[in-house]
Amino acid sequence: MIKGIIIINNHGKPRLVKFYQSVESEALQQSVIRRVFQQVAARPDSFCNYLEGLVPEWGDNIKLIYRHYATLYFVFAVDQQESDLGILDLIQVFVEALDKCFENVCELDLIFHSDRVHYILDEIVMGGMVLETNIHAVLQSIKDQGKMHQDSLTQNTTGNESASSIQNRLGGQDTFQYNW
């Protein structure tokens, strides 16, 4: 299970924090972030991206799996049940999705569009469990959500829109008829 996902810049400032196993107080959360950053930042880039982490708030045997891109560390704290290579691939999918959505994602995108970043992450991981690893499926969900958002802004004020017209806008050809 994924215990937490933390994106930190090179100076230790958190840019995205999502805990899937609770950490009681804000002070303890800051302590976890600081401890994770200290462990990851101390390693040279030539070392592997796996680290047996020391995070007492999440118990023993926590692995920190991370990637360092430009000025950001993408860190996933997981238990022993998770595959190291699988999580590295998941980080790659997440970064690629961010890159496609923001066209060369940078730290400022994470700061000023945190709602979109959280939405992208929620398409990939929810409740500490991996939902989707296919980049095309993730991007399609994001595209569909963007269409729905744009349409909601441009829709007339009556708000009368059928389910079939929404499905047609999202590219769904097959309709399912309910037999009541």
Side-chain angles (χ1 to χ4, degrees), residues 3-21:
K3 305 290 186 178
I5 299 172
I6 304 170
I7 302 176
I8 313 169
N9 72 8
N10 288 340
H11 303 290
K13 301 260 189 228
R15 297 304 180 203
L16 178 133
V17 177
K18 193 122 184 187
F19 291 141
Y20 296 107
Q21 181 174 334

Side-chain angles (χ1 to χ4, degrees), residues 3-180:
K3 305 290 186 178
I5 299 172
I6 304 170
I7 302 176
I8 313 169
N9 72 8
N10 288 340
H11 303 290
K13 301 260 189 228
R15 297 304 180 203
L16 178 133
V17 177
K18 193 122 184 187
F19 291 141
Y20 296 107
Q21 181 174 334
S22 69
V23 178
E24 296 303 318
S25 68
E26 188 173 334
L28 284 176
Q29 290 176 1
Q30 293 299 320
S31 173
V32 167
I33 295 167
R34 193 170 27 261
R35 190 176 297 114
V36 166
F37 174 72
Q38 289 169 347
Q39 292 177 54
V40 170
R43 295 170 58 91
D45 285 338
S46 61
F47 281 22
C48 70
N49 296 338
Y50 314 110
L51 174 64
E52 292 290 330
L54 179 61
V55 184
E57 291 80 4
W58 286 326
D60 296 333
N61 300 322
I62 296 299
K63 297 186 289 188
L64 300 177
I65 302 171
Y66 68 96
R67 293 292 301 262
H68 187 206
Y69 294 101
T71 62
L72 296 171
Y73 289 96
F74 290 76
V75 183
F76 281 52
V78 300
D79 60 16
Q80 295 296 323
Q81 307 304 320
E82 295 291 337
S83 163
D84 297 347
L85 291 175
I87 296 296
L88 269 180
D89 185 50
L90 195 64
I91 293 171
Q92 183 68 30
V93 167
F94 181 43
V95 171
E96 283 182 30
L98 289 173
D99 202 42
K100 296 277 189 203
C101 292
F102 294 111
E103 298 175 10
N104 294 326
V105 67
C106 68
E107 190 173 344
L108 292 175
D109 291 323
L110 300 180
I111 295 168
F112 292 116
H113 303 288
S114 64
D115 57 332
R116 288 178 60 197
V117 174
H118 279 276
Y119 178 78
I120 294 166
L121 182 60
D122 288 344
E123 285 296 318
I124 299 170
V125 176
M126 187 167 288
M129 304 302 274
V130 177
L131 294 178
E132 186 63 66
T133 58
N134 182 340
I135 185 70
H136 301 294
V138 171
L139 292 175
Q140 185 61 45
S141 295
I142 294 165
K143 180 180 171 188
D144 290 347
Q145 192 269 345
K147 270 185 177 178
M148 287 175 47
H149 176 71
Q150 189 61 33
D151 289 348
S152 72
L153 297 176
T154 58
Q155 187 180 11
N156 62 18
T157 58
T158 62
N160 295 343
E161 187 172 17
S162 69
S164 61
S165 66
I166 292 172
Q167 186 174 12
N168 287 336
R169 277 190 292 113
L170 295 177
Q173 285 77 19
D174 298 314
T175 59
F176 182 78
Q177 296 293 327
Y178 289 101
N179 296 323
W180 297 101

